Amino acid sequence: MQLSIPCSIMRGGTSKGLYFLAEDLPAEPALRDPLLLSLMGSPDERQIDGLGGAHPLTSKVAIVSKSTRVDADVDYLFLQVVVDKAQVSDAQNCGNILAGVGPFAIEQGLVAAGDNFTDVRIHMLNTGANAVARVQTPQAKVNYSGDAKIDGVPGSSAPVLIDFLDIAGSSCGSLFPSGNSQDVINNIAVTCIDNGMPVVLLNAADFALQGDESPAELEANHSLKEQIEAIRLKAGELMNLGDVTKKTVPKMTLISKALNGGLLNTRSFIPHRVHDAIGVLGSVSVATACVLKGTVAHDLLQQDFADGSIEIVVEHPTGQFNVEMEVSGSDNIASFQIHRAALLRTARLLMRGEAMANS
Ligand code: NQM
């Protein structure tokens, strides 16, 4: 039997996913997840029998509801539907799909639109942290077109400005969950950080890589992937994430010197495919690691940062990602603080209707 479920398809940043009102899906994962697997067409590498795009970046779900919290308008649960396995995971957040949550909440009447722009306060259920998304709403309607460009998406759209308020340690309990700015795992120097996304930074040169290899080249390098996965499993324990064999965190980011005027260059394993760009919260974590003395990123870059507002430009396979932060005390791990992180994304409503699940 086919079951019809109200659904919107949206591009959020450099990802694409299915957006639902919480009331339109069963609350219990045991009933909800089989429906999501069916809607996406998982498990299947091509997701031929579903709406998924056969890549982790296009096999994502947002579930949104009105918040009962005083500090938020809506609650947002992110779910990663694994492409080739019958798995749905809430173990990570997603800042790209987050970019579509504000517009979706306004479109669905969860938040009243202002006359010019609307600030949507979003409580991110995966991590318990909050973000504010500023959405353009001329004449109290969501506007998707504009001049804002983000690398990894053709053309331009209306900007969605996102401010993160309290994301340090949101998945792992602390910003540097191992307690150190640098650790050694399997003889490789690593920095384990969680500023909104658990990420392990690794110097590309330690794997005899330049750091500018294409995602396809890296994905074809099986011994590299095995080496990185072995480090990831140990890092997961060190980062208070437990056994991460079936989790999509931590992400593994290879860093190298910038090639195009940014601060540094990256290639991110998310964690088994290589990102065509870089995740939103992933890039906030990478940018943060650059600032503190003693991290593998700081050792590579040898650049110090004064207290106050800074902008960090993270290069990735399809361009650059700019992160604005307010920081202090970057001399040592005990005094280091991030007061705010902000960035620009765009989003677009692609389809609104009913998605059909096998039930
Ligand atoms: O880090 C991919 C994406 C992401 C996550 C991933 C993201 C983030 O680009 O906030 O956006 O790392 O799985 O959508």
Side-chain angles (χ1 to χ4, degrees):
M1 212 182 83
Q2 295 262 88
L3 191 71
S4 68
I5 303 171
C7 173
S8 295
I9 303 181
M10 297 190 75
R11 174 182 64 76
T14 51
S15 283
K16 187 156 62 179
L18 309 184
Y19 287 66
F20 300 96
L21 289 175
E23 67 198 36
D24 292 327
L25 285 172
E28 309 89 86
L31 298 175
R32 179 198 67 200
D33 293 353
L35 291 178
L36 295 178
L37 288 164
S38 165
L39 289 172
M40 282 294 189
S42 287
D44 169 27
E45 258 181 31
R46 293 185 305 147
Q47 292 185 319
I48 193 68
D49 198 30
L51 295 165
H55 192 284
L57 298 179
T58 52
S59 185
K60 300 186 164 216
V61 167
I63 301 180
V64 183
S65 57
K66 221 172 171 49
S67 185
T68 53
R69 297 170 61 94
V70 288
D71 60 353
D73 301 308
V74 293
D75 291 343
Y76 153 55
L77 177 69
F78 169 72
L79 296 172
Q80 180 74 53
V81 180
V82 178
V83 172
D84 58 353
K85 297 193 182 74
Q87 286 172 12
V88 177
S89 172
D90 65 0
Q92 77 163 84
N93 192 359
C94 177
N96 272 308
I97 290 297
L98 171 71
V101 169
F104 177 77
I106 299 166
E107 297 267 6
Q108 296 291 325
L110 299 180
V111 176
D115 257 350
N116 195 9
F117 63 84
T118 308
D119 283 338
V120 182
R121 299 170 309 152
I122 303 166
H123 180 62
M124 301 178 286
L125 291 170
N126 302 80
T127 56
N130 287 357
V132 181
R134 177 161 290 194
V135 181
Q136 285 193 356
T137 49
Q139 282 97 47
K141 288 244 168 358
V142 178
N143 173 43
Y144 294 101
S145 48
D147 295 336
K149 292 186 180 167
I150 57 171
D151 287 336
V153 178
S156 66
S157 315
V160 177
L161 296 165
I162 303 182
D163 236 306
F164 292 108
L165 308 174
D166 54 353
I167 50 175
S170 53
S171 294
C172 301
S174 60
L175 184 61
F176 292 95
S178 70
N180 306 313
S181 52
Q182 194 168 136
D183 297 283
V184 175
I185 302 179
N186 294 358
N187 293 320
I188 300 281
V190 302
T191 288
C192 301
I193 186 165
D194 169 15
N195 197 15
M197 181 66 72
V199 175
V200 179
L201 285 89
L202 313 138
N203 192 333
D206 287 347
F207 298 87
L209 296 167
Q210 296 293 322
D212 63 349
E213 290 79 6
S214 69
E217 272 175 270
L218 295 172
E219 286 184 1
N221 187 340
H222 295 286
S223 70
L224 171 72
K225 281 171 66 176
E226 273 169 31
Q227 207 183 345
I228 287 181
E229 181 63 2
I231 295 171
R232 192 179 82 85
L233 296 181
K234 288 190 181 169
E237 301 284 354
L238 210 56
M239 297 174 81
N240 306 319
L241 295 166
D243 178 3
V244 295
T245 315
K246 290 188 179 164
K247 293 186 183 163
T248 54
V249 284
K251 312 291 178 184
M252 306 298 284
T253 298
L254 296 168
I255 59 166
S256 55
K257 288 259 169 80
L259 297 170
N260 294 305
L263 180 68
L264 85 171
N265 184 27
T266 62
R267 295 292 183 265
S268 296
F269 288 75
I270 59 168
H272 302 124
R273 300 291 304 268
V274 177
H275 207 305
D276 294 327
I278 186 169
V280 169
L281 291 155
S283 66
V284 174
S285 287
V286 168
T288 306
C290 296
V291 182
L292 176 67
K293 274 193 186 150
T295 64
V296 292
H298 193 275
D299 283 1
L300 172 79
L301 304 171
Q302 297 289 327
Q303 184 172 330
D304 294 335
F305 293 87
D307 291 356
S309 292
I310 55 173
E311 182 169 21
I312 292 198
V313 179
V314 178
E315 296 181 359
H316 57 68
T318 44
Q320 300 186 333
F321 195 113
N322 294 30
V323 183
E324 263 178 63
M325 290 193 297
E326 216 169 295
V327 300
S328 62
S330 58
D331 265 354
N332 68 72
I333 195 167
S335 59
F336 186 45
Q337 283 199 348
I338 304 110
H339 305 284
R340 171 175 169 260
L343 43 91
L344 167 84
R345 294 279 84 189
T346 65
R348 195 163 83 82
L349 176 64
L350 305 174
M351 200 253 9
R352 185 166 50 202
E354 289 175 345
M356 307 305 292
N358 280 321
S359 68

